[in-house]
Amino acid sequence: MHVRIVGTRGIPAQHGGFETFAEDLSLFLASRGHDVTVYCQDQSAEKLYEDNWNGVHRLVIPSASHAVGTVSYDWATTLHCSRSRGVVLTLGYNTGVFSLMYRVRRLPNLMNMDGLEWKREKWSLPQRCWLWLNEWAGARFANHLVADHPEIASHLQRHTSEDKITIIPYGADAVTSAPIEMLSSFGLSSKSYYLLIARPEPENSILDIVRAFSLRQASYPLVVLGNYSGRGTQYRQQILDAAGPNIHFLGAIYDREIVRALRFYAKAYIHGHRVGGTNPSLVESLAAGNAIIAHDNRFTRWVAGERARFFRCTKDLTEILDSVEQNPSQLLEMEEASRQRHGNEFEKRKVLEAYEKLLLRIGRCYS
């Protein structure tokens, strides 16, 4: 089959979970003999161009990276893609209204509905209304939906029927080793730091986490990956103002080998996301055998499993950190629980094969 992957900034991955997934899936499908096209956004390009990346066809569309530019990029992608043949995999519903075009052109469209984007605190009321409208439209116009979490599947049933939804979480390869020398450039050593990887957004609980580490006499620092430098939001500035000397901001790192090493040697992974379904970063930490300390909500509890530790506020997190440092055997038990949870639910190949099977079925049913 010919699969056209739309909705991301493109490959190779340099931004986030959807881009990483698009890279993994496109390479997997290409290795299985399928023709794969990934649409990519490039603000430095002067005109549309095409190339080949590791056996995957890339179609690059020039577009600015701000919100209006991204909407125009999605529209340009939809127009171009709808004139082609194959099966469309749309990652995210942020411009779900555009998928009506695929229906009109009778082009099979499988849509990954991601999380509850319209609930994120960073959006204004008009933006939330726009995102909710696109969730509604995507759920109706796409031929079939992928929910990455059982709670997302339940939510989507208010928009469409249960038999139009398939649950497929994200996956990751198990990490059993990593080059420890990659830590030296950051002044780190094995099991000498906690790790957090997230954008500085309110629904990710970063401020609560930073305060917990800054207010206590921490034995180990918190290492933070993400873009926390330069001009940003008021929330980002609050995080920087609250950060004590034991908070180490390493910036946004997209080298997957470095990130894998940072995960593998972390004392524990701190996950503060409150909104969304199955978070790819949390899955990757399970795959690395990290002890998980996560925000207590219905999304993270299903992903991390009941043997992880959960917090709701700064005080909770402080108490958990005190507990695991006074009794290190807890962390060993949590690490083993993470490895078991990953093996039971989130192996990458099983996830990619599920997508291939579903794309083939959608292509047969709606072509």
Side-chain angles (χ1 to χ4, degrees):
M1 61 179 168
H2 192 153
V3 179
R4 297 178 176 273
I5 300 177
V6 305
T8 78
R9 296 185 183 184
I11 59 174
Q14 293 182 339
H15 296 283
F18 260 157
E19 283 74 24
T20 299
F21 173 68
E23 178 179 318
D24 289 340
L25 181 62
S26 62
L27 291 172
F28 173 78
L29 293 175
S31 74
R32 305 269 281 194
H34 303 292
D35 293 327
V36 185
T37 296
V38 178
Y39 285 77
C40 305
Q41 182 180 16
D42 186 352
Q43 60 183 349
S44 64
E46 296 182 358
K47 61 180 181 180
L48 183 148
Y49 68 90
E50 303 176 49
D51 62 18
N52 185 286
W53 181 78
N54 292 336
V56 177
H57 177 224
R58 296 197 323 147
L59 199 147
V60 183
I61 297 176
S63 175
S65 59
H66 53 64
V68 175
T70 297
V71 172
S72 67
Y73 160 69
D74 286 346
W75 177 239
T77 296
T78 303
L79 288 177
H80 188 283
C81 188
S82 63
R83 294 193 293 267
S84 309
R85 302 313 304 164
V87 184
V88 180
L89 172 61
T90 305
L91 298 179
Y93 65 75
N94 288 4
T95 50
V97 293
F98 296 164
S99 60
L100 177 60
M101 181 70 76
Y102 301 134
R103 274 295 180 110
V104 172
R105 299 293 179 90
R106 302 182 65 83
L107 199 62
N109 180 20
L110 174 65
M111 183 176 288
N112 181 316
M113 296 297 287
D114 199 18
L116 307 178
E117 185 68 22
W118 57 272
K119 285 193 172 185
R120 296 189 185 278
E121 297 177 31
K122 67 178 181 179
W123 304 123
S124 65
L125 180 59
Q127 289 171 320
R128 290 187 183 189
C129 291
W130 165 255
L131 290 168
W132 186 91
L133 171 65
N134 280 282
E135 177 185 271
W136 179 91
R140 281 162 172 76
F141 297 154
N143 297 106
H144 198 84
L145 309 178
V146 171
D148 63 38
H149 192 288
E151 292 290 342
I152 298 297
S154 297
H155 169 78
L156 292 174
Q157 288 177 39
R158 68 187 65 185
H159 297 309
T160 191
S161 61
E162 181 179 1
D163 60 5
K164 190 181 171 180
I165 305 166
T166 299
I167 300 174
I168 308 178
Y170 293 105
D173 290 324
V175 181
T176 57
S177 65
I180 196 167
E181 60 268 18
M182 287 189 171
L183 302 185
S184 59
S185 61
F186 304 110
L188 300 172
S189 58
S190 177
K191 305 300 180 183
S192 68
Y193 60 94
Y194 294 92
L195 182 66
L196 183 154
I197 305 175
R199 295 184 180 94
E201 297 173 357
E203 62 270 11
N204 293 343
S205 309
I206 311 299
L207 185 57
D208 289 340
I209 295 169
V210 166
R211 282 174 172 165
F213 276 86
S214 298
L215 293 174
R216 65 190 291 271
Q217 296 298 317
S219 302
Y220 304 92
L222 174 68
V223 170
V224 181
L225 271 59
N227 184 10
Y228 290 78
S229 62
R231 295 184 60 187
T233 63
Q234 180 181 0
Y235 184 75
R236 182 190 297 186
Q237 191 57 51
Q238 288 178 316
I239 293 170
L240 296 175
D241 291 342
N246 60 335
I247 312 295
H248 299 173
F249 296 98
L250 301 189
I253 299 175
Y254 298 112
D255 186 310
R256 296 176 77 170
E257 291 304 313
I258 294 176
V259 175
R260 190 174 288 119
L262 288 169
R263 287 188 196 278
F264 184 71
Y265 292 108
K267 190 173 184 67
Y269 183 70
I270 314 296
H271 187 78
H273 290 59
R274 304 195 304 266
V275 176
T278 298
N279 181 270
S281 184
L282 181 54
V283 170
E284 290 172 6
S285 290
L286 292 173
N290 290 141
I292 303 296
I293 302 173
H295 186 272
D296 188 3
N297 59 70
R298 58 197 172 122
F299 301 109
T300 54
R301 273 196 175 273
W302 181 80
V303 177
E306 291 302 316
R307 291 165 67 188
R309 297 293 300 271
F310 298 95
F311 66 92
R312 286 188 174 272
C313 61
T314 296
K315 181 175 180 293
D316 291 346
L317 179 54
T318 299
E319 291 174 353
I320 292 171
L321 293 171
D322 288 341
S323 173
V324 297
E325 289 183 9
Q326 291 167 10
N327 184 9
S329 63
Q330 288 184 55
L331 292 175
L332 296 176
E333 295 171 1
M334 293 162 68
E335 289 174 355
E336 179 57 29
S338 291
R339 285 188 285 268
Q340 290 180 9
R341 183 66 180 143
H342 168 259
N344 290 339
E345 198 71 40
F346 304 110
E347 288 185 346
K348 183 193 288 185
R349 188 173 183 86
K350 181 166 63 176
V351 168
L352 298 179
E353 287 176 345
Y355 265 92
E356 180 188 33
K357 182 179 179 180
L358 184 57
L359 285 164
L360 285 166
R361 179 162 70 86
I362 299 304
R364 286 194 300 267
C365 291
Y366 296 100
S367 294

